[in-house]
Structure formats: structure tokens, C-alpha cells
Amino acid sequence: MLNQIFRFIYPPLSSFEIRRKYNIPDKFNLTVELTVDGFFVLTSEELPGLITEAKDGKELIKMFNDAVLTYYDVPKREGDIAFERLNLDGYGTFTLKADNRVKQEA
């Protein structure tokens, strides 16, 4: 609910607008590993120091977006999503829907 009020006051930019405004590349080479306790750990050699983990696809795409937006110093008022889709070899495609649900395609 608090996020809805915040977004009413500060409508988010589209993911395309955020990437263009903050010079975020359209693609990254990512490394995803599955830990023994079932977590996805995501890193990228292109973004030194970027590391995030998640317990499922829904959380992974949200955590990746948060990590990228933080890495590029995008203010929270600008938006929450820079990438609506992650294509991960061996894991499928994770797509963030408008209602913040994630669809996984094999």
C-alpha cells in the first residue's frame, strides 16, 4: 500500500526510459548459480561488485532490477524496473508482468 501511495506521488518511468536516461545497457552477461540450499546467486563480470540472490524467479527479477538500479544510482522516485525480462540459459525466461507477477517460460 505504501508503494502505491509513493507511486501515485512519483509515477515511475518506463523501463526503456530509465535505461536511456541513466545509460544502462540493454543486455548484460550474467552468471547464475544455484546454491545447495536452493537460492539463485546472480553476478556479472560487466558490473564489478554486483551480486544478488533470490529464492525463486519472481524474487530474482526484482532483486536484479534493484541491484542494477542501485549500481547506476537511479533514484527510487524514477522507477523500480529497468528490465522486465531475464533470459537465463538452463533456467528459462522470467518475465515481470504489469501486476508484478512473474511468468517463467521453459
Side-chain angles (χ1 to χ4, degrees):
M1 172 127 168
L2 208 52
N3 191 43
Q4 291 173 336
I5 294 170
F6 181 79
R7 284 293 159 223
F8 179 76
I9 296 169
Y10 299 105
L13 298 175
S14 73
S15 58
F16 177 79
E17 292 171 316
I18 289 173
R19 289 194 311 270
R20 293 297 161 251
K21 183 174 181 178
Y22 292 94
N23 298 316
I24 301 172
D26 289 330
K27 293 184 180 184
F28 290 104
N29 290 317
L30 305 172
T31 302
V32 177
E33 297 177 26
L34 190 60
T35 64
V36 293
D37 52 346
F39 280 81
F40 292 101
V41 177
L42 184 141
T43 59
S44 175
E45 289 183 13
E46 298 169 354
L47 303 170
L50 183 131
I51 183 169
T52 191
E53 69 176 10
K55 61 184 173 188
D56 56 37
K58 179 179 181 178
E59 189 178 7
L60 182 65
I61 197 166
K62 288 181 180 183
M63 295 300 290
F64 173 68
N65 274 293
D66 184 58
V68 168
L69 294 174
T70 300
Y71 192 91
Y72 282 91
D73 293 323
V74 178
K76 200 64 166 163
R77 70 179 174 274
E78 295 286 334
D80 304 311
I81 310 266
F83 296 93
E84 297 165 354
R85 174 179 289 198
L86 288 177
N87 297 317
L88 304 173
D89 289 340
Y91 297 103
T93 300
F94 297 96
T95 305
L96 190 62
K97 299 293 183 182
D99 59 1
N100 282 332
R101 289 183 300 146
V102 171
K103 176 183 176 187
Q104 181 180 1
E105 303 165 13

